[in-house]
Amino acid sequence: MSNVATRLIAIILMLQRRGTIKASELADELDVSERTVHRYMGMLDELGIPIYSERGPYGGFSLVRGYKLPPLIFSPEEATALYLGAELVKDIWGVSYFDAAVAATAKLDNVLPEALLQEVKQAQRGLLVTGWLRRDYGPWAPILDDLRRSVARRRQVRLVYHSFRQQVTERIVDPYALALQWGNWYLVGHCHLRDELRTFRVDRIREAQPTGETFELPAGFSAREYLLRMAEERPATYYRVAIRFDPDVAHIVRERREEWQQLTEQADGSVILAFDASDLAWPCRWVLTYQDRATVLGPPELAAMVRDAAQAIAARYADDDW
């Protein structure tokens, strides 16, 4: 319903700004059918909005002359949500939307009643938006900004990409969406080199240049649904990892419970963590950070990697060398 309400308000604002508009034009603007536009008009009529319609080649929908949408009135919670949203946008996008976020809150400061403004400021002191990103994306801000514009304008880009396996490739990509997940920015798009949908970590993109070509977004594509599906699907080759953490370090793992596939509490206060991994390099490094407080229960390949790494570390600090 919230989406419908947003479209109803959008229709009123467009009619206020542009006068008479045809149903076909409204349908294109809202990305709905003309039948849906007529249904929206019926809903506005039921709400008491004075809509005038005229048939013919020069006809369309318009507001009765003199009608204006009443000034927006926010509750304290709604106004606080807008301010916090602006702070979140600044935190996530940095320079790309910093000025826009500042301008938006300045306009709110100018129109909100003083009593409501004081309530919002009091709420802000107790509700902070900070530390959203776990890393500084400042060095990639120009690339992130270029990608944002390419996504919005549906402009194809040429990427120079440095993969996790240290391979540098050049590829043409139709950028569908940018997504922030697990503290990292990802570009979702159709890769012409692989001829399939791919995700690219923005901090591994060395160059991003528009090609001048445009593309069409596939009908019904949802970046959110794609990323959720990717998170649920197992890679073609994967290992089921199981690690036991001693009681004195178990709380560290518990604090990130939502990030793991399975966490099982043990009677002695320890926990067993189980998850799928497409490679064992990072689980090996992670286990070593806990020294003798973490024990690999499986797979055998991971236990062997940890043992070999520990022996190599011990050999480096052999008594004969000191």
Side-chain angles (χ1 to χ4, degrees):
M1 183 62 194
S2 60
N3 200 27
V4 173
T6 301
R7 288 172 176 170
L8 293 179
I9 294 173
I11 289 173
I12 296 173
L13 293 175
M14 282 190 284
L15 292 175
Q16 278 188 183
R17 186 172 64 251
R18 292 157 52 182
T20 302
I21 309 178
K22 295 181 180 296
S24 58
E25 295 172 342
L26 285 170
D28 290 340
E29 291 271 1
L30 300 172
D31 196 24
V32 298
S33 67
E34 289 189 38
R35 182 177 179 179
T36 300
V37 168
H38 285 282
R39 182 165 60 86
Y40 288 162
M41 291 303 175
M43 296 171 69
L44 288 172
D45 183 60
E46 290 178 4
L47 292 171
I49 307 299
I51 299 290
Y52 175 75
S53 62
E54 184 176 348
R55 296 182 180 277
Y58 301 104
F61 293 104
S62 61
L63 291 171
V64 170
R65 186 181 298 276
Y67 177 82
K68 293 291 184 182
L69 189 68
L72 293 177
I73 300 174
F74 298 108
S75 69
E77 292 78 12
E78 291 170 338
T80 300
L82 292 173
Y83 277 91
L84 292 178
E87 289 299 316
L88 188 59
V89 166
K90 285 195 294 184
D91 199 27
I92 292 176
W93 281 102
V95 296
S96 297
Y97 278 102
F98 185 89
D99 289 343
V102 170
T105 53
K107 290 176 182 177
L108 285 172
D109 289 343
N110 201 38
V111 299
L112 291 181
E114 183 61 28
L116 179 55
L117 197 57
Q118 291 306 315
E119 278 195 64
V120 169
K121 292 188 180 301
Q122 184 175 351
Q124 282 184 290
R125 286 192 285 270
L127 298 171
L128 302 179
V129 178
T130 183
W132 178 263
L133 291 179
R134 295 181 180 177
R135 58 181 307 175
D136 177 19
Y137 262 79
W140 293 275
I143 287 179
L144 199 56
D145 207 29
D146 288 341
L147 291 175
R148 176 181 64 82
R149 289 192 177 92
S150 296
V151 168
R153 298 168 184 171
R154 297 184 182 177
R155 301 281 185 180
Q156 209 175 66
V157 292
R158 179 185 64 83
L159 300 184
V160 176
Y161 191 68
H162 194 169
S163 73
F164 174 77
R165 301 183 184 279
Q166 305 301 305
Q167 296 175 331
V168 179
T169 56
E170 183 175 313
R171 57 186 79 200
I172 302 298
V173 175
D174 298 342
Y176 292 169
L178 283 164
L180 180 66
Q181 289 203 122
W182 309 295
N184 290 308
W185 277 106
Y186 292 87
L187 174 68
V188 180
H190 179 81
C191 173
H192 288 262
L193 179 65
R194 307 300 183 200
D195 194 26
E196 62 182 358
L197 201 58
R198 287 290 183 94
T199 56
F200 304 91
R201 264 182 54 165
V202 171
D203 60 334
R204 293 181 185 153
I205 297 175
R206 298 294 178 260
E207 293 181 29
Q209 298 292 334
T211 66
E213 300 292 328
T214 59
F215 65 90
E216 290 295 326
L217 197 66
F221 173 77
S222 168
R224 183 182 299 277
E225 291 177 4
Y226 168 74
L227 291 170
L228 288 174
R229 189 169 65 250
M230 290 293 292
E232 293 172 356
E233 291 178 355
R234 290 174 171 174
T237 302
Y238 72 93
Y239 302 90
R240 185 62 173 180
V241 174
I243 306 168
R244 178 188 178 276
F245 292 87
D246 289 356
D248 58 339
V249 297
H251 67 282
I252 301 174
V253 182
R254 288 192 192 97
E255 287 181 352
R256 299 170 59 187
R257 181 186 297 269
E258 70 282 352
E259 298 180 21
W260 307 112
Q261 289 172 286
Q262 183 179 347
L263 188 148
T264 307
E265 299 282 353
Q266 303 299 299
D268 63 352
S270 64
V271 296
I272 294 178
L273 187 65
F275 56 90
D276 296 332
S278 57
D279 71 85
L280 298 177
W282 73 264
C284 176
R285 293 192 297 270
W286 189 51
V287 168
L288 288 170
T289 63
Y290 286 88
Q291 301 175 30
D292 62 342
R293 298 292 189 270
T295 305
V296 175
L297 304 180
E301 296 93 332
L302 178 57
M305 286 179 67
V306 172
R307 182 186 63 246
D308 293 345
Q311 289 175 348
I313 293 171
R316 178 168 293 188
Y317 297 98
D319 291 340
D320 293 343
D321 296 334
W322 293 86

